[in-house]
Amino acid sequence: MAISRNNLLAAALIAPLFAVVVASFIVPLAVTLWTAIGNPEVRETLPRTTAALRGWNGEGLPSEAAFAAVAAELAQAHEAQAIGQLSRRLNFEEAGLRALLLKTARAKDRLSAPYRDALVALDPRWGETSLWQILARNTAALTPLYLLRSLDLSLTPDGKIVAAPADEAIFLALFARTFVISFWVTILCVLIGYPVAYTLSTLSTRWANIGMALVLVPFWTSILVRTTAWFILLQREGPVNALLLGLGVVDAPITMIFTRFAVYIAMVHVLLPFVVLPLYSVMKGINPAYLRAAASLGAPPWKRFIRVYLPLTMPGVAAGGLMVFMLAVGFYITPVLVGGPEDQMVSYFIAFFTNQTINWGMAAALACLLLAMTAILVVVARLIVPGFRLGGVSA
Amino acid sequence: MHDPIVTFERVTKSYDGRTLVVEALDLTLARGEFLTLLGPSGSGKTTTLMMLAGFEDPTSGTITLDGKRLNHVPAHRRGIGMVFQNYALFPHMTVAENLVFPLEMHGVPKAEIEPKVKRALDMVRLPQLRDRKPGQLSGGQQQRVAVARALVYGPKLVLMDEPLGALDKQLREELQLEIKHLHDELGVTIVYVTHDQSEALTMSDRIAVFHQGRVQQLATPADLYERPANAFVASFIGENNRFDGTLVGRDGANCRVRLPDGSEIAATIEADLAPGAAVAVSIRPERVAVGAQAQRDNRFVGDLREVIYLGDHCKLRLAVAGNESFVVKVAAGDAATTLDRGSALAVAWDAAACRALPPLA
Ligand SMILES: Nc1ncnc2c1ncn2[C@@H]1O[C@H](COP(=O)(O)OP(=O)(O)O)[C@@H](O)[C@H]1O
Ligand SMILES: [Mg+2]
C-alpha cells in the first residue's frame, strides 16, 4: 500500500520531466520522421483527381473524370497560389513536371470537354502512362522516395527501385564521408584527450583546477568563434604559414584552409573537452591501490596500464568517444567554414535542402537516415569493442 | 638475529620536508616471522610498509631485502606480496583472473598456472567462486581472495595493511586465525599493520609499537604486555592504571614514586632513570586486590565510583590517590560488587606487579 502510494508520488513528480522529454525530443523526432515519408501534396491539392485515380489499374490512361478533375484542380490551385508546392514536389519525381503543371494550370480558359483530348493536345505528355503512374503513386499518404534518394536510389514510374542517375547519386558517399571524418575525429580526440585527462588526474587539486580551466575555457566560447579562429590561423597569409615560412620549414605557404586537414584540426579542437571531461572523472575515481596491487603482483608499468588502467578507464573512453562521435556526425558550421566542397558533411545538405531548395522531405530523410546509421554503428561498436559499456565496469 | 630477511637502517620519511612521519627507524625482520606494526592512526605504519613495498622512497636510510639494498628497486621487481585494506581486487577480472595475473607477470609456465590457481583457491576455501567478479563477493570473501592473490606466486615476504579493518568483529577474528594458520603452513614472512591491539596480540610473533613515527617497543606479545618499555606502550596494549609522579628513591630494580598528593608507591623499574625524574607508574587492573591486604607493598583506600558487570567478571571504577578512573578487575561474585557507590574500598598490590616507566621514549 505504502509502496504504491510512493510509486504514484514518484510518477507524479517525474511527470513534468517526462512531458518535457516528450515535447523536446520525441515529438520533433516523430515530426521529422513523418516529414521524411509524408506525401500530402497531391492528396491535398488535387483531392478529386485523387478520388478519380483510385479505380485506375495503372495501365493505359485513366478515365475522362481524372482528366477533367486534374484540369479543374490545377487551375484552382493556381488561383489559390498552392501550385508551387505541388509542382515542386512532382518535379522532384521527374524533372520537367513543374513546367507542365504550370502550363496546364494557366491554360484553364482554353480547355474544354472532353478533357482527355484537350490536355493531350495541350501537351502530349498528358497522354503518357508514366505521367499518370507518377500522379497515381503520389496519391498515397506515404512515399519512400526521399529515403530512396538519400540512399542513391530512385523509383521508375511503374514503381521499380533502381539506382539513381549518377549526377544525383551523391548521398552514400556523403554518409561515408561523414562517418569517416567523425571516426577519425573521435580517434584523434581519444588519443589526445586520454593523456591530457590522465595528467590532470595526477595533479594536485590546485594544478588540476588550473589545467581543467584551460581545457574548459575554449568550451565556454562559441563553436563559431573557435572555428573562425582556425579560419584566421590557417589562411594562406595566416600566422601558421607565417611561422612556417619564418622558420624556413617551407618555401611557399601551404594550403591549409578549405582542406580536410583544417576540418580535422578545428573539429578536434572543438570536441576535445567532451572526451577529457568524462575520462577525467573516471580516472579520478580509480583507486590508486589497483595500480599498486598490480605492481606488487609483479606488473611493470606498461602492463599495469594495459591490463589494469586501460580496462578500468574504458567506460570513460566509451562515454567520451561516443559523445564526440555523436556530436561530430552532426557537425555543420566547422566544415562549412574551414573545409572545401569535398569536406562537407550530411548536415550541410540538410541545411541546403531546408534553406535553399525548400525540400523538407529530403532534409528530413537525410536526418532520419543519419540518426539510424549512427544508432546502428553505436550498437555494433558496443558489440565488438571490449569493455564498451556505458554504465561503467560491472563492479 | 641469525637469518634476517629485511632490515631498516636509520630510515626516515618526510612527505613535506618538515615533519618526520617515520623517524630513524631501525628494524630487523627474521625470516618466517609474523611481525605486526601496531600503533594509532597516523603513527607511520602505512608509510613504513609503503617504503618496504616500494611505493614510497625513504627520505634517508637504507632498506635491505635478503641483503640487497632496495633503494631505487621499483615495486614490481621486489617480489613482495601485498594485501590492501580495501582488497584492491581488479574489478574487471574474475576471481580466477585475479589469481592468474601475478602468475603471468612472473612468467609462470602456462601449464603450471591452473594448478596453482586451484591450490590457492582451495587454500582460502573458495574454489566455488572462481568465476565471480569481485563485486559479487562479500567483504570476507574478497579479503580471502586478496590473500590468495598475494600468496599465489609464492613471494617470500607478504605485507598486509589493515587487511581486516573493514570487516565486522566476528569475521575479523575468524580471518585472523586463518591468516595465522596460512602463515604457519607456508612459512612466509608477514609484516602486518593494524591499530587493533587484540588483533596484534592474537596473530604476531613480534609486535613493533609505533607512535609518532617511532618504534616505541619491539617485543613478543607477552613481553609487551608484561614489560612495557614506556607509558605509551603500557596504555596502548591492554588496560592500564596510570599514576604520574616523581622518582624519589631507587635501589636497583626497586624504586619509590611520589605522587602529586604526597602518597608514595613502591614499584619496579628497568629504565635508566635517576631520582627526580618524572615517571608514570603502570598497574594492570587484574593485578590489584580488593579488601584489606596487610602483606601487599602498596595499600590505598579508594572511593567506589562505578561497578560494571561483564558476565565472567566485574570492573570497579574508583578514585585512588588522585586517579579518578582507577580500574580493578574482580570475579563476578566478589563481595565488593555489592557495595554502594561512594563506599570506601581498600585496594592493594605488590611492587613487583607495578612498573615505573618513562612517560614516553
Ligand atoms: N602521501 C602522503 N602525503 C603526505 N602526507 C602523508 C601521506 N601519507 C601519509 N601521510 C601522513 O603521514 C602520517 C603517517 O601516515 P600513515 O603512515 O598513513 O599512518 P598510519 O598508517 O599509521 O595510520 C600521517 O600524518 C599522514 O597524514
Ligand atoms: Mg594506515
Side-chain angles (χ1 to χ4, degrees):
Chain A
M1 193 59 206
I3 290 173
S4 72
R5 271 250 299 284
N6 280 343
N7 284 351
L8 267 181
L9 184 63
L13 283 173
I14 61 164
L17 291 175
F18 189 70
V20 169
V21 170
V22 168
S24 64
F25 181 67
I26 297 179
V27 169
L29 204 64
V31 169
T32 307
L33 182 61
W34 180 250
T35 310
I37 56 174
N39 200 23
E41 290 85 357
V42 173
R43 287 163 73 89
E44 283 172 10
T45 324
L46 308 175
R48 277 184 290 131
T49 313
T50 300
L53 285 173
R54 197 156 290 147
W56 185 47
N57 66 359
E59 286 165 24
L61 288 177
S63 63
E64 168 69 12
F67 281 90
V70 85
E73 285 182 320
L74 282 176
Q76 272 170 18
H78 188 53
E79 266 160 36
Q81 299 187 332
I83 192 120
Q85 261 191 335
L86 177 73
S87 57
R88 222 169 26 231
R89 171 69 185 88
L90 288 175
N91 204 58
F92 181 62
E93 295 272 335
E94 190 177 300
L97 287 189
R98 174 198 208 98
L100 174 63
L101 294 185
L102 288 175
K103 175 173 156 190
T104 309
R106 287 198 202 98
K108 181 198 170 205
D109 298 334
R110 283 178 282 133
L111 299 174
S112 58
Y115 284 98
R116 174 192 301 216
D117 299 335
L119 284 176
V120 175
L122 178 71
D123 193 305
R125 276 182 287 175
W126 284 113
E128 287 173 11
T129 307
S130 65
L131 171 64
W132 288 98
Q133 283 173 330
I134 291 174
L135 265 179
R137 183 167 82 214
N138 286 303
T139 60
L142 301 177
T143 176
L145 190 69
Y146 299 121
L147 292 171
L148 290 174
R149 281 292 175 82
S150 303
L151 295 168
D152 293 351
L153 296 170
S154 187
L155 275 179
T156 60
D158 54 347
K160 282 205 275 297
I161 297 175
V162 294
D167 60 329
E168 287 170 22
I170 56 169
F171 297 110
L172 285 183
L174 176 68
F175 279 114
R177 178 198 300 158
T178 302
F179 287 120
V180 165
I181 291 179
S182 304
F183 173 79
W184 285 114
V185 166
T186 306
I187 297 289
L188 288 170
C189 279
V190 169
L191 288 181
I192 298 170
Y194 198 96
V196 170
Y198 176 76
T199 310
L200 286 177
S201 75
T202 57
L203 295 177
S204 68
T205 318
R206 202 176 126 232
W207 287 107
N209 284 340
I210 294 172
M212 201 38 101
L214 291 179
V215 171
L216 284 178
V217 163
F219 207 45
W220 298 333
T221 344
S222 88
I223 289 188
L224 193 57
V225 171
R226 277 181 282 169
T227 305
T228 312
W230 282 111
F231 185 86
I232 295 164
L233 283 172
L234 298 178
Q235 285 178 72
R236 266 187 90 74
E237 290 82 28
V240 175
N241 264 324
L243 183 72
L244 292 177
L245 286 169
L247 291 176
V249 181
V250 293
D251 309 328
I254 47 177
T255 312
M256 289 177 289
I257 194 72
F258 307 136
T259 64
R260 189 64 63 87
F261 168 77
V263 172
Y264 281 135
I265 283 207
M267 282 181 73
V268 166
H269 174 236
V270 168
L271 291 172
L272 199 55
F274 289 95
V275 74
V276 172
L277 290 178
L279 269 175
Y280 175 78
S281 81
V282 167
M283 287 169 172
K284 264 297 184 197
I286 290 181
N287 186 345
Y290 292 135
L291 295 174
R292 291 183 162 181
S296 80
L297 297 169
W302 66 276
K303 281 203 171 151
R304 301 206 277 274
F305 176 74
I306 298 286
R307 294 284 305 270
V308 179
Y309 199 72
L310 192 57
L312 289 178
T313 50
M314 215 42 209
V317 174
L322 194 66
M323 194 129 64
V324 167
F325 186 78
M326 299 284 199
L327 290 170
V329 158
F331 251 51
Y332 171 64
I333 198 69
T334 304
V336 166
L337 283 180
V338 302
E342 290 304 306
D343 308 313
Q344 301 308 317
M345 298 165 63
V346 172
S347 294
Y348 172 84
F349 281 86
I350 294 177
F352 172 79
F353 282 118
T354 311
N355 302 326
Q356 308 284 307
T357 65
I358 327 279
N359 186 343
W360 289 12
M362 271 310 281
L366 287 173
C368 287
L369 284 173
L370 187 62
L371 179 64
M373 291 183 191
T374 309
I376 290 170
L377 281 178
V378 170
V379 170
V380 171
R382 284 186 61 140
L383 291 179
I384 60 175
V385 178
F388 191 117
R389 271 185 242 96
L390 295 182
V393 170
S394 65
Chain B
M1 196 154 310
H2 39 272
D3 190 7
I5 177 166
V6 169
T7 63
F8 286 79
E9 284 163 36
R10 315 243 12 110
V11 171
T12 59
K13 174 69 185 177
S14 171
Y15 287 105
D16 55 10
R18 281 176 287 135
T19 45
L20 290 181
V21 170
V22 172
E23 214 177 322
L25 175 66
D26 285 306
L27 191 63
T28 305
L29 248 101
R31 191 175 305 278
E33 88 169 318
F34 195 121
L35 178 86
T36 296
L37 313 184
L38 172 67
S41 170
S43 57
K45 309 179 298 290
T46 296
T47 303
T48 303
L49 214 60
M50 289 299 156
M51 288 190 289
L52 180 51
F55 301 125
E56 296 289 351
D57 287 323
T59 306
S60 68
T62 314
I63 305 174
T64 64
L65 173 64
D66 276 330
K68 287 188 283 290
R69 277 173 62 108
L70 278 183
N71 302 36
H72 309 303
V73 177
H76 67 275
R77 291 219 208 93
R78 294 193 180 189
I80 299 177
M82 179 126 194
V83 180
F84 297 83
Q85 171 163 9
N86 293 313
Y87 323 128
L89 294 176
F90 304 131
H92 57 296
M93 299 184 192
T94 63
V95 166
E97 286 165 348
N98 265 283
L99 296 187
V100 168
F101 185 84
L103 296 171
E104 282 181 357
M105 292 304 130
H106 285 89
V108 173
K110 272 233 147 45
E112 292 171 30
I113 287 184
E114 179 49 33
K116 278 185 197 273
V117 168
K118 206 174 155 325
R119 212 174 317 135
L121 281 173
D122 288 341
M123 180 178 82
V124 293
R125 300 187 283 115
L126 292 176
Q128 71 285 8
L129 298 182
R130 55 175 298 141
D131 295 321
R132 295 261 192 99
K133 289 274 179 71
Q136 300 166 302
L137 305 182
S138 71
Q141 290 168 334
Q142 290 189 50
Q143 198 50 281
R144 285 205 185 93
V145 175
V147 169
R149 185 178 68 172
L151 292 170
V152 68
Y153 68 95
K156 294 166 286 194
L157 175 63
V158 175
L159 315 181
M160 303 190 181
D161 190 0
E162 313 223 11
L164 310 181
L167 305 177
D168 62 54
K169 187 168 183 291
Q170 200 182 346
L171 197 54
R172 207 159 61 218
E173 287 170 359
E174 200 179 308
L175 279 171
Q176 283 168 10
L177 290 181
E178 274 183 37
I179 292 175
K180 177 100 188 107
H181 294 158
L182 279 177
H183 168 255
D184 295 343
E185 280 164 37
L186 302 176
V188 296
T189 312
I190 293 185
V191 182
Y192 191 98
V193 164
T194 181
H195 63 264
D196 177 345
Q197 48 115 353
S198 80
E199 187 163 295
L201 293 175
T202 307
M203 305 177 77
S204 320
D205 296 326
R206 287 193 305 160
I207 298 173
V209 180
F210 272 66
H211 182 53
Q212 295 175 342
R214 284 183 162 274
V215 174
Q216 305 295 329
Q217 189 172 6
L218 173 58
T220 62
D223 267 355
L224 225 45
Y225 189 82
E226 300 296 338
R227 306 172 58 210
N230 61 43
F232 174 81
V233 175
S235 57
F236 197 73
I237 311 276
E239 266 188 291
N240 179 52
N241 293 308
R242 172 174 175 161
F243 294 96
D244 287 308
T246 314
L247 196 61
V248 288
R250 173 167 188 172
D251 173 18
N254 299 316
C255 68
R256 300 198 64 76
V257 178
R258 176 161 308 137
L259 304 186
D261 70 350
S263 50
E264 282 192 6
I265 297 179
T268 56
I269 187 165
E270 280 181 23
D272 186 17
L273 295 171
V279 290
V281 176
S282 157
I283 167 81
R284 301 282 184 198
E286 69 273 15
R287 296 297 200 88
V288 179
V290 293
Q293 310 260 345
Q295 75 282 18
R296 307 265 182 188
D297 303 325
N298 298 296
R299 294 182 298 277
F300 288 88
V301 175
D303 180 21
L304 185 63
R305 291 286 160 87
E306 202 170 5
V307 178
I308 303 155
Y309 177 74
L310 288 162
D312 57 335
H313 70 274
C314 284
K315 269 188 202 165
L316 310 178
R317 199 166 63 77
L318 306 105
V320 172
N323 182 340
E324 292 291 316
S325 56
F326 186 91
V327 175
V328 184
K329 249 188 205 177
V330 296
D334 194 286
T337 63
T338 61
L339 292 177
D340 289 328
R341 285 186 54 173
S343 312
L345 184 62
V347 292
W349 63 90
D350 282 328
C354 125
R355 307 174 67 81
L357 302 167
L360 234 184

